[in-house]
Amino acid sequence: MRRPPIVPLVLVAVPLVLAVAGPWLAPEASGRGPAFSTDGPLGTDFAGRDVWREVLLGGRNLIVVALAATAGAYLLGVPWGLAAATARRAADELLMRPLDVLLAVPSLLLLTLLATIGSGTVLVGALVLVHLPDIARVTRAAALDAANGTAIEAMRLQGETRWRTGVLFVGRSALRTLVTDAGTRLTGTLYLVAAAAFLGIGVSPDTADWAVMIDRNRDGLFLNPWSVLAPALLIVMLTVGLNLAFDRALGTRRYGRRPHRRARRPARSVPEQVT
């Protein structure tokens, strides 16, 4: 019997619970104390605010933006890649070449250009554009063999619709690759959102955000380490837990399973020497 994946569940559940339920669990704001004090559960930050309260308030924006951007990128990139894989060569080139131009732009530069002109919604759109070329290319590469195989030709000769051939069959063949990519992509999106917030892109400097907390409190790391370590550990726990959870879903890791041992053959009995 396999043991339940306790480690990835705990690593994912703790940051998610704090991010979702944190605004309702956060205590009322009190007067500000001295900067980087160690009084209280996690002490105070650079502005004398309670670090524990800032941690409870700072995770929702990071996780919501990362999830929305990843979902939007897949909703747009997967059909794009499937259409390119099942289309003729001229249509394939027409679909994929503009993405190569977008792929050449550095992600942080694109975020800086787009996110500075708007709020969080523009940041989500910028992240979708950042991930769109990669997702479309991965989808196309994973579906290309199935789209040009003999099974598709047989289905077309039988009069199957383009929906059944292009989506149900070709899309299903690329599903495992896309699930694997989704785990890595979501982790990368979390780090990209955190990097954008760390640089002040898309959020104001006084916003309760885990990445902003790391940036604003780094000068007091040795005075009150929890002002930096608490949000940093939550981001690391979430990203590592998501990778382990996707590995578990794909069956690439088997937690709690002992390695298979070969059964030993019984030793042959040595016949007694006849005297």
Side-chain angles (χ1 to χ4, degrees):
M1 296 294 292
R2 297 182 192 175
R3 291 181 294 179
I6 300 298
V7 174
L9 285 179
V10 172
L11 290 177
V12 174
V14 171
L16 283 182
V17 169
L18 290 179
V20 175
W24 292 293
L25 299 176
E28 294 293 334
S30 58
R32 299 186 179 185
F36 299 119
S37 172
T38 56
D39 297 334
L42 298 178
T44 59
D45 63 357
F46 73 102
R49 298 172 297 190
D50 186 11
V51 173
W52 173 241
R53 183 176 184 274
E54 295 297 308
V55 166
L56 292 176
L57 296 175
R60 179 177 293 183
N61 180 71
L62 175 68
I63 294 177
V64 168
V65 170
L67 290 176
T70 305
Y74 275 96
L75 287 176
L76 186 59
V78 171
W80 196 307
L82 290 178
T86 56
R88 298 183 181 274
R89 184 175 183 83
D92 184 12
E93 293 290 331
L94 186 62
L95 286 171
M96 299 306 296
R97 294 292 77 81
L99 297 182
D100 293 341
V101 177
L102 191 60
L103 189 63
V105 181
S107 57
L108 283 179
L109 177 60
L110 185 60
L111 284 178
T112 305
L113 292 176
L114 296 179
T116 52
I117 63 175
S119 59
T121 305
V122 180
L123 178 61
V124 172
L127 289 169
V128 169
L129 290 179
V130 167
H131 290 303
L132 175 61
D134 290 331
I135 294 175
R137 290 171 66 90
V138 168
T139 304
R140 177 184 175 275
L144 204 56
D145 290 338
N148 296 321
T150 56
I152 288 293
E153 296 295 333
M155 293 175 69
R156 288 174 180 172
L157 291 175
Q158 293 177 359
E160 295 289 348
T161 62
R162 193 173 184 84
W163 169 262
R164 290 181 60 85
T165 58
V167 177
L168 297 183
F169 181 77
V170 178
R172 188 182 302 173
S173 66
L175 182 61
R176 188 175 183 85
T177 302
L178 292 177
V179 172
T180 305
D181 181 72
T184 307
R185 190 76 54 190
L186 183 57
T187 302
T189 306
L190 282 169
Y191 277 121
L192 201 55
V193 175
F198 184 83
L199 296 174
I201 302 173
V203 294
S204 59
D206 57 346
T207 303
D209 185 275
W210 290 345
V212 175
M213 291 177 64
I214 298 173
D215 177 35
R216 303 292 285 175
N217 296 318
R218 56 183 174 174
D219 293 335
L221 177 61
F222 297 102
L223 298 176
N224 181 18
W226 287 115
S227 61
V228 176
L229 292 180
L233 286 175
L234 289 172
I235 295 175
V236 172
M237 286 175 62
L238 183 60
T239 53
V240 173
L242 285 172
N243 276 324
L244 293 177
F246 275 95
D247 284 345
R248 174 69 181 188
L250 290 173
T252 56
R253 294 177 183 236
R254 307 190 181 278
Y255 296 95
R257 201 173 216 187
R258 295 181 179 179
H260 178 70
R261 295 181 180 179
R262 296 181 179 178
R264 295 182 178 179
R265 296 180 180 179
R268 296 180 180 180
S269 59
V270 180
E272 297 180 0
Q273 187 178 3
V274 179
T275 57

